[in-house]
Amino acid sequence: MIGLFGGTFDPIHFGHLRPALEVFNALPFSELRLLPCGVPGHRTRPVANALQRLTMVRAAISSIPGFKLDTREVDKPTPCYTVETLLELRTQMPTHPLAVVIGMDAFLGLESWHRWHEVITLAHLVVTHRPGWDVEHIQDNPVLNRFVGEHQCWQAEELTARPAGGIWFQPVTLLDISATRIRQMLKAGDDVRFLLPESVNQLIKQQRIYA
Ligand code: ATP
């Protein structure tokens, strides 16, 4: 199974990397691809440019076996939609199990995704816990609640047995780190060490990415 972990990664931090690693180790993934997006579909434009975010992701994952950088979204001039990326991947891998890895905050906003109903027909969804975004909130949303009821898997083998269609919830170490907060800290001249890889911190400093 190939994992697809998209984001703005503006910048990439340990709140991305640690859950991604725990998911990668917990489930039968052959590789986990990080996909920095160019123009996000449903949020404001990133602060760092595409090349800078790509460089930071590359530096962050260079020594993690199984983690790969997928640059297909980053150069697109048009907004990135997961459904379109999956459709493109499906032309190359029609039946290989694919899993989109997302944090709970992203999952709770799933209904706002472009053609969200189609995503589950093209890939599994692997949802990681994130501080401040309670799994209980799913029950407050009848549409999402029914969607989970129809698709939730309880055995990891169910994910590798078919190309798409399952939802898996993965508890991970809760790290209350966000890129927004890191950018605010950098703007204020605060020390961001140990919130992100030191290689990324050095790139931010050398290239004055958030100066
Ligand atoms: P921003 O603060 O700019 O919104 P972010 O830190 O939330 O950024 P994104 O690049 O938007 O990072 O997130 C990419 C993916 O990583 C999303 O699926 C998001 O849910 C997940 N994610 C980000 N931070 C965490 C965290 N601390 N714990 C778990 N998942 C996270």
Side-chain angles (χ1 to χ4, degrees), residues 3-53:
L4 306 163
F5 183 34
T8 45
F9 303 123
D10 187 25
I12 189 163
H13 53 69
F14 287 139
H16 298 123
L17 290 162
R18 181 67 208 181
L21 183 69
E22 291 186 18
V23 156
F24 183 70
N25 289 340
L27 296 173
F29 283 115
S30 55
E31 63 182 61
L32 185 73
R33 296 189 190 178
L34 279 83
L35 293 101
C37 68
V39 183
H42 52 284
R43 51 175 290 170
T44 51
R45 274 177 183 265
V47 176
N49 68 38
L51 181 64
Q52 288 169 330
R53 289 181 294 110

Side-chain angles (χ1 to χ4, degrees), residues 54-63 197 199-200 203:
L54 204 76
T55 310
M56 290 190 280
V57 173
R58 188 177 283 122
I61 65 169
S62 65
S63 60
S199 56
V200 175
L203 277 170

Side-chain angles (χ1 to χ4, degrees), residues 5-9 13 15-16 19 43 101-106 128-131 175 177-180 183:
F5 183 34
T8 45
F9 303 123
H13 53 69
H16 298 123
R43 51 175 290 170
V101 177
I102 49 172
M104 186 62 76
D105 57 315
T128 67
H129 291 184
R130 181 170 185 180
L175 295 170
I177 303 173
S178 81
T180 303
R183 291 195 303 274

Side-chain angles (χ1 to χ4, degrees), residues 47-89:
V47 176
N49 68 38
L51 181 64
Q52 288 169 330
R53 289 181 294 110
L54 204 76
T55 310
M56 290 190 280
V57 173
R58 188 177 283 122
I61 65 169
S62 65
S63 60
I64 313 176
F67 278 36
K68 305 241 166 83
L69 176 62
D70 189 322
T71 62
R72 75 184 62 234
E73 286 191 348
V74 88
D75 293 325
K76 271 176 93 173
T78 50
C80 299
Y81 295 115
T82 303
V83 68
E84 287 172 4
T85 302
L86 290 171
L87 285 166
E88 190 184 313
L89 282 162

